[in-house]
Amino acid sequence: MPMFALADAERGRALAQQVYDRPDGRDVASRGTMVLTEAGREPRVRQLFSYRRDGGGGEVANLIRFTAPADIADTGLLTIDQADGSTDQWVYLPALGRDRRIPSSRKGGRFVGSDLFYEDLQDRKVDEDRHRWLRQETLEGVATEVLESIPADSSNSVYGRRLSWIDPDTLIAMRVDFYRPGAETPFKRLRVDKVERVQGYWTVTDSLMQDLESGHQTRLTAEKTVYDQDLPQRLFSNRALKDPALERPFRP
């Protein structure tokens, strides 16, 4: 490997590690809105709460609960990311009255009809990808660092590669382009439109995931975010996933 390529790989991995280690609290709870937009249809607006807890040692737990409209109310997703990079996910559908495990073969499944894949809602460890720093590029007036990330194991992702435009001040990716394996052009794009400091932590409060082929879009906004409440481990359980009454007291 040429020395410049090796240097770019080392710089890329270091940048990816910085992004992964960005301070984002021991836990966080957020109240937000998801808006689905597609040509020829009225936007579909959904209300939701989301929670994350850092269990330490690389373990991360996430819970998402929808509260409106009625056709999706109480639907939830529980994601448990293990230190070894493996992930367990369950979706709760009130109509079925039970939770259902999401198999790893469904990483590319669309979460509740949005442009977010189940994989997008998982915590991806740095060494699950090979990283390479590509260049500096100004994006929306911000001098970003462009990072290429390719799965170390192609079976471990639905994406062939990702390009991220990272703001070095916030260590947040302001844009991410997603490519299918072997493709030269991206088929999905994440755009971060607003970042705010909340309790000292840089926080994404407005983002848009776009399907570049169909034009379908999913916007996520956070109306209220609270960090470091010492959310209990029991909140991130299948029992709490199936019973909104157990999750409701922690809503911000």
Side-chain angles (χ1 to χ4, degrees), residues 67-219:
T67 56
D71 65 350
I72 199 172
D74 294 339
T75 296
L77 178 73
L78 175 64
T79 303
I80 307 293
D81 296 293
Q82 308 293 347
D84 63 3
S86 62
T87 298
D88 295 309
Q89 283 182 308
W90 296 267
V91 64
Y92 172 68
L93 302 172
L96 298 180
R98 61 180 178 85
D99 57 338
R100 181 167 55 86
R101 191 185 186 94
I102 304 299
S104 58
S105 60
R106 287 206 61 207
K107 279 177 178 284
R110 291 177 178 270
F111 174 52
V112 294
S114 74
D115 298 286
L116 299 170
F117 292 171
Y118 286 104
E119 179 174 334
D120 300 328
L121 300 167
Q122 299 176 1
D123 179 67
R124 194 162 180 86
K125 305 295 190 287
V126 173
D127 287 336
E128 291 184 78
D129 298 299
R130 298 190 305 274
H131 305 279
R132 182 165 63 107
W133 178 87
L134 297 183
R135 60 186 180 274
Q136 291 181 323
E137 185 174 312
T138 300
L139 180 71
E140 303 291 334
V142 177
T144 64
E145 307 284 332
V146 183
L147 177 70
E148 178 186 64
S149 302
I150 297 174
D153 177 356
S154 61
S155 67
N156 192 31
S157 176
V158 297
Y159 303 120
R161 66 172 177 146
R162 306 186 314 279
L163 292 187
S164 304
W165 282 254
I166 296 165
D167 180 346
D169 292 332
T170 63
L171 292 174
I172 288 174
M174 304 306 293
R175 168 178 157 184
V176 182
D177 282 4
F178 301 86
Y179 295 73
R180 290 193 178 92
E184 294 296 319
T185 56
F187 75 105
K188 273 177 46 171
R189 175 171 295 154
L190 173 67
R191 192 182 77 207
V192 170
D193 290 335
K194 191 173 183 181
V195 174
E196 300 177 72
R197 264 197 191 276
V198 179
Q199 294 173 236
Y201 301 111
W202 287 113
T203 305
V204 175
T205 55
D206 188 353
S207 64
L208 183 72
M209 183 72 88
Q210 304 167 283
D211 184 318
L212 300 175
E213 297 171 343
S214 71
H216 196 282
Q217 299 182 345
T218 301
R219 181 174 293 279

